Amino acid sequence: MTETAERPLRALAERAMRHSWFPVARSIDVQPGPVPAVLLGTKLAVFRDGDGVARVVENRCPHRGGSLGHGRVTGGSIACPYHGWRFDGATGACDYVPSLADQSMIPPRAGITTLPAVERYGHVWTVLEEPIRDLYENPHWQGLDLEWLAADPLDSSTGVGVAIENFRDVAHFPFVHEVSMGPTPEVVAPLEVQRDGFDVFMARELDAGSGDWAEQGDCTMYYHCSAPGFATITYDYAQLGRRVVAGFPSPVAYDRLVIFWGVANEVGFRGDSLEANLAIETEVYLEDLPIADKLEPREIPWDREFQEHSVPSDVFTLNYRRSFREFMDAVAQRFPEA
Amino acid sequence: MVADRSTLLDVRIQAMRVEADGVLSVEFRRPDGSDLPEWAPGAHVTVHLPSGRTRQYSLNSRPDDRSHYRVGVLKVPGGQGGSAEMHELRVGASVQISPPLNAFPLADDAEALLIAGGIGITPILAMTRALRDRGTPFRLVYAGREESSMAFLDEVRSLAPEAVVVTEREHGRPDLEALLAAHPGVPVYACGPGGMLDALTAIGDRLGADVRLERFAPEVAVAAPGDLLAPPEFSVRLARAGRVVGVHGGESILTAVRAAGIDVDSSCEMGVCGTCETRVLAGRIDHRDLLLSPAERERGDTMMVCVSRSLDGDLDLDL
């Protein structure tokens, strides 16, 4: 408690994220599931009901505390693995207690909390409290028909902000990605960054290096990130069309993540297959994790509890931090603390 | 660059022309039509836009016709807004420009190899004209994504009919290594995207070639030593400290406030990091940082005191 009392912005950052959308499962893992998930300490179960609709519910069975995420799906309901109690995915009401001869005897208030569930970008997203913002959209994708492939989620002992900053940082390429990208220049050409509310944009020409990552040739890379937890790169190849890599770190706790992420190709993309692009991006990401996992502190030092110095190559990061602050301020204003 | 306002030139936009997709040429002329300062190929001017943004552009008109300057402006998608603001200006608009500076001079070489990538043609065009007029043998390679995006192509072709135009769409990227290897001992003048210039630098190092580059530099403000005996350019009133501090032409608000014994947190001191962000209670701000968004600039209630200044008159700060 003292930690958050002395660090008001850290506390606000965590509180604000409860009002924003995060993925809690890959779509392909809820066919129909269920799978357990944790978002900012809240245990959840994710599944797909008999009509194909994704559902996110509280994980704890209110009978004797069974983990619904380890149960099974029955039509529109999720059944507890312990005594088989079933709960309706839409309303949360208990609709079947196997041990009862007379189902009209179900305790009337037995039920679980249901959360909003939206399927987008190959993942199931939810939000813990009333959302301050809509689920992320990328203006670069307007009118673009994207086919998604969700990557294997990665565990990381950092916070959302640090993961987003790593995802779109460019100055670390020659040090962390020498294998996947080949030698890249150390000097970072001026970054042209544009920020609008929670969104930050940057366009950069990719001069193909010699690594696997660049073997599809030169392109324009459109970076977009949106506070708190959305980072994407849209690669626009003059000859091949557009492809995407996107990261959606999801906070299990304030400074511990499951990094959900994926790739997408424009329908008709003439470059590599989704699987090949995912393999390349995985090679890149696996180079980042051992570095990111050892960063100190593990999340952005909002309360200046650590000193950091910045140079012009950090302009995207610094703009993202401002957009995150704007997001925090919006939550503080609209949902004042009780 | 901290502008010494007295040396800025008042000019008017005399003409604008679409040169290619996303590229405009802009001609500046003095309101009274008198000659502008002398310049040589490779020179650029800093344009001070009405919003307070500054942008540098290479001159590509004829140095012997000083009735006007011409620059080429590429609209940068996702940029900080400087190029977009230039594109929104209209003929007749008044702006201020710095006198020409030349960080990319054309030497008196016996022979030269010119390489332009995209909007990097602007200084190279002026060099092409100069070399042709001097009768110096030269070779010009102009690379771009596709012809429709390549500015000044007609002028390039009429000045240098033997120029090699390489489009990525038809020919892919030019083979820079082969190009430099085919011209041993010939100085190279190049301007273009950072990636191309990085590649040229590496190839030049490898082959021992003399590669001279113009990079489009970030708009980073740097304080120049000022004349502290002169009267201050403006003053800042520090609301919490109850002090008034004069800020001279060559010093930042940060420096002046610190010299007065009031500490302000800072880190980069070039308008990037936001550490010295200070609330502004009154006054009009000349924003020169790289971090604030257009909306935040417009609100006018916060500034980076390491680089930003007063637009006119004094500022009241929450210090």
Side-chain angles (χ1 to χ4, degrees):
Chain A
M1 285 315 286
T2 51
E3 188 181 53
T4 53
E6 285 162 15
R7 294 170 50 192
L9 287 179
R10 180 229 180 274
L12 176 57
E14 179 161 0
R15 189 163 78 80
M17 287 194 289
R18 299 181 64 82
H19 294 275
S20 189
W21 296 86
F22 289 100
V24 283
R26 297 190 295 183
S27 292
I28 51 163
D29 292 331
V30 286
Q31 306 289 359
V35 293
V38 183
L39 179 56
L40 290 169
T42 303
K43 291 181 179 172
L44 304 169
V46 188
F47 67 102
R48 187 182 303 280
D49 72 14
D51 296 328
V53 178
R55 301 289 185 192
V56 178
V57 299
E58 176 188 359
N59 189 58
R60 183 180 176 276
C61 174
H63 170 225
R64 286 297 177 272
S67 169
L68 297 176
H70 294 86
R72 61 193 175 82
V73 177
T74 311
S77 299
I78 184 167
C80 178
Y82 196 5
H83 302 96
W85 287 35
R86 290 184 202 161
F87 302 89
D88 183 283
T91 66
C94 178
D95 57 16
Y96 186 63
V97 175
S99 63
L100 279 177
D102 177 359
Q103 290 299 314
S104 71
M105 303 293 283
I106 295 174
R109 299 176 70 176
I112 54 172
T113 304
T114 60
L115 281 77
V118 172
E119 260 187 298
R120 193 86 58 87
Y121 315 133
H123 291 79
V124 179
W125 299 69
T126 194
V127 54
L128 294 171
E129 291 175 36
E130 190 186 335
I132 187 81
R133 56 162 303 154
D134 293 335
L135 188 46
Y136 306 104
E137 301 269 2
N138 185 335
H140 294 136
W141 300 344
Q142 262 173 23
L144 197 60
D145 199 1
L146 288 173
E147 195 180 345
W148 283 89
L149 178 61
D152 285 336
L154 302 166
D155 292 319
S156 177
S157 57
T158 61
V160 169
V162 161
I164 295 287
E165 291 184 9
N166 167 244
F167 195 88
R168 25 83 5 235
D169 178 65
V170 294
H172 74 289
F173 288 178
F175 308 100
V176 178
H177 299 304
E178 199 179 351
V179 173
S180 62
M181 299 186 187
T184 48
E186 293 186 4
V187 173
V188 175
L191 305 177
E192 290 276 339
V193 177
Q194 202 169 44
R195 177 163 46 86
D196 181 10
F198 301 160
D199 295 278
V200 184
F201 301 92
M202 173 172 78
R204 248 170 90 82
E205 297 300 321
L206 170 66
D207 197 4
S210 54
D212 297 341
W213 182 65
E215 70 177 8
Q216 293 177 80
D218 297 348
C219 63
T220 305
M221 297 166 73
Y222 294 96
Y223 286 75
H224 167 234
C225 75
S226 193
F230 188 68
T232 73
I233 304 169
T234 305
Y235 300 79
D236 188 353
Y237 300 88
Q239 311 283 354
L240 307 176
R242 280 166 285 190
R243 72 176 187 92
V244 169
V245 57
F248 330 114
S250 184
V252 172
Y254 179 71
D255 50 12
R256 199 152 46 81
L257 298 173
V258 177
I259 300 174
F260 290 101
W261 66 288
V263 296
N265 282 354
E266 176 179 14
V267 170
F269 183 67
R270 293 178 296 283
D272 288 346
S273 68
L274 274 175
E275 291 73 16
N277 286 332
L278 181 60
I280 291 160
E281 298 292 352
T282 301
E283 184 189 351
V284 174
Y285 220 146
L286 292 180
E287 290 170 338
D288 281 305
L289 280 187
I291 304 294
D293 269 353
K294 295 178 191 70
L295 299 180
E296 189 186 5
R298 301 196 316 217
E299 180 56 320
I300 297 168
W302 291 116
D303 299 287
R304 297 200 189 182
E305 66 273 24
F306 283 77
Q307 191 175 24
E308 293 184 341
H309 294 284
S310 299
V311 290
S313 63
D314 298 310
V315 152
F316 195 106
T317 292
L318 295 160
N319 272 284
Y320 163 67
R321 290 184 181 188
R322 285 189 85 82
S323 67
F324 200 130
R325 271 304 304 272
E326 195 164 330
F327 161 75
M328 282 152 63
D329 292 344
V331 168
Q333 198 167 14
R334 181 147 144 227
F335 305 108
E337 238 171 329
Chain B
M1 224 162 291
V2 170
D4 178 356
R5 297 249 159 196
S6 65
T7 68
L8 292 182
L9 310 170
D10 289 306
V11 292
R12 210 157 53 200
I13 295 182
Q14 172 76 15
M16 295 176 99
R17 199 177 112 101
V18 177
E19 296 292 352
D21 292 344
V23 182
L24 286 180
S25 65
V26 179
E27 279 183 24
F28 300 116
R29 193 178 286 256
R30 279 191 154 139
D32 63 3
S34 62
D35 271 359
L36 288 155
E38 282 183 15
W39 64 282
H44 67 269
V45 295
T46 300
V47 178
H48 293 246
L49 289 158
S51 67
R53 289 190 185 90
T54 58
R55 280 288 176 275
Q56 294 175 343
Y57 294 106
S58 299
L59 299 182
N60 65 28
S61 40
R62 303 181 60 93
D64 56 18
D65 177 1
R66 292 195 279 124
S67 67
H68 70 278
Y69 291 156
R70 186 179 70 165
V71 299
V73 181
L74 170 68
K75 191 168 179 175
V76 180
Q80 287 171 315
S83 65
E85 191 181 341
M86 279 290 281
H87 273 241
E88 277 158 24
L89 291 177
R90 291 290 170 265
V91 170
S94 297
V95 294
Q96 288 187 309
I97 61 173
S98 71
L101 276 175
N102 201 337
F104 187 35
L106 180 65
D108 196 9
D109 307 297
E111 200 182 333
L113 174 58
L114 307 179
I115 303 174
I119 193 62
I121 189 62
T122 52
I124 299 294
L125 182 62
M127 292 183 170
T128 304
R129 194 179 289 113
L131 291 172
R132 190 203 57 172
D133 292 349
R134 288 180 199 171
T136 304
F138 69 95
R139 186 178 163 94
L140 167 62
V141 176
Y142 179 15
R145 184 158 276 206
E146 51 199 319
E147 289 211 357
S148 66
S149 70
M150 296 170 72
F152 308 114
L153 256 186
D154 291 347
E155 280 184 64
V156 165
R157 285 183 165 134
S158 78
L159 280 170
E162 64 291 344
V164 179
V165 174
V166 183
T167 66
E168 206 174 316
R169 205 169 277 283
E170 285 169 55
H171 319 98
R173 285 278 171 111
D175 186 345
L176 298 172
E177 179 127 26
L179 185 63
L180 264 61
H183 296 79
V186 177
V188 181
Y189 293 86
C191 185
M196 184 188 104
L197 301 183
D198 291 331
L200 273 173
T201 307
I203 295 165
D205 285 350
R206 227 168 20 245
L207 301 180
D210 176 7
V211 180
R212 303 163 191 179
L213 305 175
E214 171 95 308
R215 280 180 193 274
F216 294 118
E219 291 295 328
V220 170
V222 177
D227 179 1
L228 299 183
L229 297 175
E233 186 182 303
F234 61 96
S235 293
V236 288
R237 287 188 290 268
L238 312 180
R240 280 187 281 144
R243 300 271 301 275
V244 179
V245 175
V247 182
H248 289 81
E251 64 178 347
S252 66
I253 296 177
L254 180 69
T255 314
V257 166
R258 278 190 181 154
I262 292 149
D263 195 29
V264 179
D265 259 3
S266 74
S267 169
C268 75
E269 303 194 4
M270 54 182 163
V272 169
C273 72
T275 307
C276 68
E277 181 169 2
T278 300
R279 226 149 61 82
V280 179
L281 307 171
R284 300 212 306 151
I285 308 155
D286 179 7
H287 290 289
R288 298 183 182 187
D289 65 279
L290 288 172
L291 191 54
L292 292 178
S293 69
E296 286 166 332
R297 286 163 186 264
E298 200 153 318
R299 277 204 295 280
D301 57 1
T302 190
M303 74 187 294
M304 306 307 167
V305 292
C306 63
V307 293
S308 297
R309 307 182 70 78
S310 154
L311 206 53
D312 48 32
D314 297 345
L315 295 172
D316 290 5
L317 302 180
D318 184 24
L319 284 176

